[in-house]
Amino acid sequence: MARSRNAPPNFSSMGARLSTDPVAGGRLEKLLSEAQRHLFAGEIPRAMACAEQALTIADNPNTRLAMATVCLLAKDFKRAEMNYHEVLRQRPNHFKALLGLGQLKLNTNDPETAISVLRAAVSADPKNPDARHLLARSYGLLRRFDEALELFRALVVDVPKNADVWAGYARALTRQGSPKEAIEAYKTALELNPKDDAAHEGLAATYLSIGQIDLAEVHFKKAMEIRPDRGQPFRNLAKLKRLDAADLAEAEKQLRLLPPGDVKRITFLATVASMGEASGEYEKAFHAISEALAIRRSHGRTTYNLEAVTGLADAVINAMGVRGVEVKSAKSPTPIFIVGMPRSGSTLTEQILARHPSVYPAGEWAAMPMVLSQMHTLGRTYPSDVGKLSGDEINLLRRVYYAKLPAAETGKDRLSDKMLGNVFNVALIEAIFPDATIVWCRRHPMDSLWSTLTQVFASALEFSTRIEDVCHHALQQHRIMTAWRERGTLPTLEIFYEELVERFEPVARELVKFTGLEWNDACLKPQESDRPVLTASAGQVHQAVSKSAVGRWKPFAPYLDHARSAMGDLIGLHEAELAKRGIGG
């Protein structure tokens, strides 16, 4: 909604009595009105002063709501939440407190709690579009697209002139895998509000996901014109090598305006790094990406725990090949698990399979994390209890894995699951899917490292912001997969990125044959797929297969001595394997 995205919520009295004392009530009404006026003017400190003064006169739902709202907009989330809870303690079904608390939880990346709170808000006011919109967005963040889209489809009928609703509907459609419908929804949003930079950026990203690069460029440019202080459109065009000199100058100007350590610097720094690498200014590129990663680390909610990851790798290796009961093959599409380090060619590998009519390409599917959660609910610990699972428990875990499988895809023979972190789940995968196959995507460790660093991934990849952590993660993954080759019970194919781009057709044919499928010529043209790609490889995979990224790390070798030392053995093994295959690496 327009209000839920852009404007401060209204915390007026709604007819409630502010105070039994008429004089005090008048003072409160004036203070709350002034606080509201200051909020709309963007004067948050003045609004805060008014709200605090009002609270000293009377502690009631209205003054608490005013304080919570000001704290929310001041990004003092802890204090805002405390005040929202106090309102709800005094009046449990207070709609505006429920709405504000739900928005806070959504904004602080806690969609599960947001859903619980916003459901209560919708129960309190079933027709309110703000509550329904925020609830739909929360469902979308948890990939509960059926529930999100059901709400959005009702909203676009009830409030057809609301641009924010159309834009939210479009985002959900994109993430659900319906790019054509998403594009039409974005167009409607932009007809209603042509100056919505986020909608232009979303439309551009959707075009990019299906390989329509020229149209993506048009809308990234429009987003930049409307909001030059937002760096993501600049970064996307830089990655596409379509950022011109004037745009780069604007990005550098915006970077100079931002104070050191500001999180908004990250995308501008990544833009400068991309352009510096393209122009041969390698020192400039390295220092820009290093600063971006340092800011990402300082704002991250989690850190990479080397000892914990090492311990998990040890436990996974110990659990390999340990099966309890024998189970039959699953009736649903047989999974193909694509694992490996980020930026290892996994998206291209899946795109080859995605072109086959018998494959459902699930992408980065969050099914195995749900399986692990269910295993925990059963009182089982992963990986130590893998061999203790009963047949009924295994069948339950399978049902959880397939729970989000679209009904239209249940007839497919294969399902490709490209959640790369499943490398740590191989012991459980072999226990519950005895007919599954594993595809291990491999790339020169230094190319994978540099490409991972320059993506400046979000905090979901805790290891991706520090060179030492990327190296450690690569080594632990390699330990697991080396042990897996010796002890694992599922067929496993290794795909070397360098060989894939050098000898595309033979490797593609080997991949398809390995998965047990008949050959289909469409698999030779992954770039022609109209399937949306929402990973960091969007744009690249819709272009012809290229060898240009092989050896990308080499100009940065002087800055990566530590990585070369830490991964020396891994580098040697990889280069020896490439030499054995007759591939220069």
Side-chain angles (χ1 to χ4, degrees):
M1 312 301 306
R3 176 168 293 163
S4 67
R5 275 187 52 196
N6 302 318
N10 190 323
F11 47 75
S12 59
S13 67
M14 301 174 291
R17 178 178 293 181
L18 293 173
S19 172
T20 55
D21 181 347
V23 176
R27 289 176 61 200
L28 280 175
E29 187 74 57
K30 182 178 179 182
L31 284 168
L32 293 179
S33 295
E34 287 182 0
Q36 187 78 66
R37 179 170 55 81
H38 287 311
L39 275 188
F40 275 98
E43 300 167 342
I44 292 178
R46 291 187 176 185
M48 182 73 76
C50 291
E52 288 173 340
Q53 189 175 351
L55 191 59
T56 62
I57 296 173
D59 186 339
N60 61 36
N62 294 90
T63 54
R64 286 286 180 179
L65 181 63
M67 179 60 70
T69 304
V70 176
C71 291
L72 177 65
L73 294 176
K75 297 185 178 181
D76 186 347
F77 299 128
K78 185 176 181 180
R79 193 177 177 195
E81 182 172 356
M82 182 271 290
N83 280 282
Y84 281 130
H85 280 299
E86 181 59 27
V87 175
L88 294 170
R89 186 190 67 78
Q90 296 180 30
R91 195 187 302 173
N93 294 319
H94 194 296
F95 171 75
K96 290 195 173 183
L98 290 168
L99 184 67
L101 181 58
Q103 183 171 2
L104 184 153
K105 289 298 180 182
L106 181 60
N107 291 350
T108 54
N109 199 31
D110 185 2
E112 290 186 355
T113 304
I115 287 171
S116 176
V117 174
L118 291 166
R119 277 178 171 169
V122 172
S123 295
D125 188 352
K127 296 295 185 181
N128 185 274
D130 281 344
R132 291 154 65 202
H133 183 198
L134 290 172
L135 180 57
R137 288 172 55 196
S138 301
Y139 281 136
L141 284 179
L142 286 179
R143 302 180 67 86
R144 294 167 63 173
F145 298 122
D146 290 343
E147 293 155 294
L149 291 172
E150 181 180 359
L151 283 167
F152 275 122
R153 288 184 180 116
L155 281 165
V156 296
V157 172
D158 293 347
V159 283
K161 300 297 183 183
N162 192 297
D164 283 346
V165 163
W166 280 101
Y169 182 33
R171 281 189 288 273
L173 285 166
T174 297
R175 298 188 68 211
Q176 180 257 351
S178 300
K180 293 180 180 178
E181 295 90 337
I183 287 167
E184 294 306 312
Y186 271 126
K187 287 180 178 178
T188 301
L190 288 168
E191 286 174 4
L192 293 166
N193 182 11
K195 295 296 185 181
D196 186 344
D197 64 292
H200 278 293
E201 186 178 340
L203 178 55
T206 305
Y207 277 131
L208 180 62
S209 76
I210 57 174
Q212 297 192 30
I213 309 297
D214 291 340
L215 288 171
E217 179 180 2
V218 168
H219 288 280
F220 280 135
K221 292 266 189 183
K222 287 183 178 179
M224 288 158 50
E225 291 169 7
I226 296 167
R227 285 284 306 275
D229 61 329
R230 292 190 66 252
Q232 192 61 47
F234 290 89
R235 184 189 179 194
N236 282 321
L237 285 180
K239 288 169 65 177
L240 293 171
K241 297 180 172 59
R242 295 198 175 196
L243 196 72
D244 60 33
D247 295 330
L248 177 58
E250 179 63 35
E252 291 178 326
K253 171 188 171 184
Q254 294 296 328
L255 190 56
R256 289 193 296 271
L257 295 173
L258 292 167
D262 193 315
V263 69
K264 293 178 182 177
R265 292 179 63 86
I266 292 174
T267 47
F268 287 113
L269 287 163
T271 299
V272 170
S274 291
M275 298 302 289
E277 182 174 356
S279 64
E281 298 176 271
Y282 300 121
E283 183 177 4
K284 179 179 181 180
F286 182 80
H287 288 304
I289 211 66
S290 297
E291 183 186 344
L293 292 169
I295 297 172
R296 174 70 77 196
R297 289 195 298 273
S298 69
H299 287 269
R301 294 186 179 91
T302 57
T303 57
Y304 183 69
N305 188 325
L306 280 77
E307 284 112 5
V309 174
T310 302
L312 176 58
D314 290 339
V316 170
I317 291 169
N318 289 334
M320 286 177 186
V322 180
R323 284 186 178 175
V325 298
E326 289 296 324
V327 292
K328 295 181 180 179
S329 299
K331 293 181 180 179
S332 296
T334 304
I336 304 164
F337 291 94
I338 301 172
V339 301
M341 285 292 288
R343 314 298 295 156
S344 59
S346 59
T347 301
L348 175 57
T349 298
E350 187 179 45
Q351 281 292 88
I352 295 169
L353 295 171
R355 294 285 284 154
H356 200 289
S358 297
V359 176
Y360 169 56
E364 294 180 340
W365 213 32
M368 283 306 296
M370 291 190 294
V371 170
L372 289 166
S373 177
Q374 182 63 53
M375 189 174 174
H376 178 76
T377 301
L378 292 171
R380 301 294 194 185
T381 300
Y382 177 75
S384 59
D385 289 345
V386 164
K388 301 175 184 178
L389 292 171
S390 69
D392 287 342
E393 288 172 328
I394 287 173
N395 287 328
L396 172 60
L397 296 179
R398 283 178 173 177
R399 289 196 296 273
V400 170
Y401 182 84
Y402 289 115
K404 298 297 182 181
L405 179 68
E409 307 293 346
T410 55
K412 296 290 179 69
D413 292 329
R414 301 288 186 273
L415 176 154
S416 59
D417 182 337
K418 199 183 76 66
M419 185 64 77
L420 298 179
N422 280 332
V423 69
F424 288 89
N425 298 327
V426 289
L428 180 57
I429 288 169
E430 70 174 336
I432 64 178
F433 295 114
D435 53 346
T437 51
I438 306 286
V439 177
W440 180 17
C441 292
R442 303 182 64 180
R443 186 181 181 186
H444 194 289
M446 295 301 293
D447 270 336
S448 176
L449 169 105
W450 180 246
S451 189
T452 296
L453 295 175
T454 56
Q455 287 301 318
V456 197
F457 284 109
S459 57
L461 290 179
E462 294 91 348
F463 63 86
S464 66
T465 63
R466 193 188 305 272
I467 291 174
E468 295 86 343
D469 295 345
V470 179
C471 294
H472 180 267
H473 204 79
L475 290 166
Q476 298 312 307
Q477 280 209 16
H478 194 267
R479 274 210 311 132
I480 291 172
M481 293 308 295
T482 299
W484 175 258
R485 283 187 300 194
E486 299 173 358
R487 299 170 54 186
T489 60
L490 301 181
T492 301
L493 175 68
E494 297 177 34
I495 295 224
F496 286 78
Y497 175 79
E498 296 84 358
E499 186 176 22
L500 177 60
V501 298
E502 178 74 29
R503 299 172 179 161
F504 179 74
E505 181 171 347
V507 176
R509 286 182 177 275
E510 182 183 14
L511 171 64
V512 172
K513 181 180 180 181
F514 168 76
T515 60
L517 296 168
E518 295 292 329
W519 176 252
N520 189 298
D521 285 340
C523 296
L524 292 179
K525 298 179 180 179
Q527 72 274 15
E528 294 183 6
S529 172
D530 59 359
R531 166 183 173 256
V533 175
L534 304 178
T535 69
S537 299
Q540 292 173 307
V541 296
H542 290 293
Q543 300 177 40
V545 175
S546 169
K547 297 183 285 185
S548 61
V550 174
R552 181 185 163 200
W553 72 277
K554 291 181 179 179
F556 298 93
Y559 314 104
L560 298 172
D561 283 342
H562 176 76
R564 295 166 73 187
S565 176
M567 296 194 295
D569 291 343
L570 198 55
I571 292 167
L573 289 170
H574 190 90
E575 292 179 349
E577 186 63 39
L578 291 182
K580 190 190 307 181
R581 294 165 181 254
I583 304 295

